[in-house]
Amino acid sequence: MFAKVESQSNGIDLIKIDNEDTKIVFTNYGARIVSWKYDDNNIVLGNVVEADEFYIENPYNFGATVGRYGGRIANATFELDGEKYKLEANNGPHNIHGGPKGLDKRFFDYRIEEQVGQVKVIFTTVIKSEDDHFPGDIDLEVIHTYDVDHKWTIEYKATSNQKTLFNPMNHVYFNLNRDNNVIDNHSISSSKLDMYTLDEDNIVETKNPIDLVDIFNEQNIQFKDIFNSEDAIVKEQMERFGGVDHPFDIGGNEMTVENKHFLLTVKTDMPNIVIFTFNDTTGWQSDFNIYKAHSGFTLETQCIPNDINLFGDEAPSILEANQPFYSKTSYKISEK
Ligand code: G6D
């Protein structure tokens, strides 16, 4: 295994890691994954060739580290220890993905460590309260490790100088199809697939999810069956959003997604996974926008969005001052 760095324009560096059958590329812009290939098959959506223009323009957070808070905070407001915070609204009246100055839009410093059987890219940055209006400045390390088992691991290490919210995640879109056709044929599988329903503005509306394993009477469910479900609640949600854009409770720390050719295993210590099936691709007027609805799906390992307004003091995203935050998620690809 080896890594090499290629610099494009606009300050974008590509860090290319070669592991024989598989190759993966990261960039300092948003500490993001740009490409992951199994032989000639693209496993994720991205653009290596014109990364320097594509990522600056792309509004869909392709492959980016997202934070300090992944997902929407209703009405861009929350209360912590009796103090009210007003964030910037960048999704109608709501705050999404940390606001307009989120982690996806910044250049990280980085260093590369080549070790036996793995390569680590350690990205660092500081999130300033004055930039995103959350309390606390956060020192952050995002470590991407790629290993000989074709496993990509993301670790987040952080400390805040004040009590705050911290809910980082990666917004990579996967597509396991050889022809990169829509992902309707992929199935998701876990011991539990509880889905939290959303209101018209994509805000989590309930603490009581619906149980897809019970509704479909199996633990392995194709996306197209969810999209076309006749179950009243699922149908209403799919009609509202054109697909899945929902937080899940997967009952443990592991779930899989597969098609005929590949198996993707995600393991995480975060409490929830938001699955988004790229339902509306019409919001980007660009020659780069070659995507149709359901071109990919995300597996955003995070706390349930809007947790602070749902759970108050008990919100899992609360990070105490000067307490180390650590979280780890891995994605492993195998050929069937
Ligand atoms: C997230 O849940 C959201 C989507 O609604 C949004 O469109 C996307 O990020 C860009 O996954």
Side-chain angles (χ1 to χ4, degrees), residues 59-61 71-72 96-97 169 171 173 202 245 274 276 298 300:
Y60 301 121
N61 305 81
R72 291 170 179 82
I96 189 170
H97 299 333
M169 53 98 163
H171 209 282
Y173 294 80
N202 301 59
D245 191 4
V274 173
F276 173 52
T298 66
E300 306 159 27

Side-chain angles (χ1 to χ4, degrees), residues 45 179-182 277-282 289-296:
L45 305 186
D179 54 7
N180 271 30
N181 210 336
V182 290
T277 51
F278 205 3
N279 304 321
D280 181 3
T281 59
T282 58
N289 190 358
I290 55 167
Y291 304 95
K292 53 187 172 210
H294 304 168
S295 291

Side-chain angles (χ1 to χ4, degrees), residues 27-39:
T27 179
N28 54 338
Y29 184 61
R32 74 182 70 214
I33 178 172
V34 171
S35 166
W36 192 5
K37 278 185 151 196
Y38 203 115
D39 296 327

Side-chain angles (χ1 to χ4, degrees), residues 48-231:
V48 191
V49 180
E50 292 163 300
D52 50 355
E53 290 170 40
F54 181 88
Y55 286 99
I56 310 267
E57 280 190 23
N58 184 313
Y60 301 121
N61 305 81
F62 273 32
T65 298
V66 167
R68 74 171 80 186
Y69 193 97
R72 291 170 179 82
I73 295 183
N75 300 311
T77 53
F78 68 93
E79 205 176 304
L80 191 61
D81 283 350
E83 184 102 14
K84 286 198 168 63
Y85 292 92
K86 181 73 191 145
L87 308 169
E88 274 184 68
N90 61 335
N91 185 254
H94 313 297
N95 177 275
I96 189 170
H97 299 333
K101 292 189 181 158
L103 291 173
D104 56 303
K105 292 184 197 68
R106 69 168 64 191
F107 288 91
F108 285 65
D109 295 324
Y110 72 93
R111 62 182 196 277
I112 301 170
E113 289 180 6
E114 295 187 49
Q115 301 169 347
V116 180
Q118 62 181 28
V119 176
K120 276 186 191 297
V121 189
I122 299 146
F123 291 100
T124 52
T125 193
V126 179
I127 307 174
K128 292 262 184 208
S129 175
E130 64 192 40
D131 287 336
D132 63 7
H133 313 298
F134 288 80
D137 294 343
I138 297 179
D139 280 321
L140 172 64
E141 266 189 17
V142 180
I143 304 164
H144 290 303
T145 303
Y146 197 57
D147 70 31
V148 281
D149 295 328
H150 314 299
K151 188 173 76 190
W152 161 39
T153 304
I154 311 168
E155 291 165 287
Y156 303 91
K157 294 182 183 175
T159 342
S160 174
N161 63 1
Q162 233 184 297
K163 188 170 177 179
T164 188
L165 306 183
F166 191 50
N167 191 19
M169 53 98 163
N170 190 283
H171 209 282
V172 60
Y173 294 80
F174 296 97
N175 183 323
L176 308 181
N177 287 335
R178 291 223 153 112
D179 54 7
N180 271 30
N181 210 336
V182 290
I183 51 76
D184 301 34
N185 61 337
H186 293 47
S187 38
I188 58 175
S189 179
S190 184
S191 57
K192 184 162 152 186
L193 288 167
D194 282 4
M195 185 176 104
Y196 290 86
T197 54
L198 307 175
D199 73 8
E200 285 78 6
D201 277 1
N202 301 59
I203 304 289
V204 181
E205 61 183 0
T206 166
K207 292 180 189 169
N208 301 312
I210 56 169
D211 179 347
L212 294 192
V213 170
D214 185 48
I215 292 172
F216 291 91
N217 202 19
E218 52 181 332
Q219 289 183 355
N220 190 302
I221 308 170
Q222 276 208 329
F223 277 129
K224 72 164 180 288
D225 291 335
I226 304 179
F227 299 156
N228 300 321
S229 173
E230 286 304 322
D231 174 87

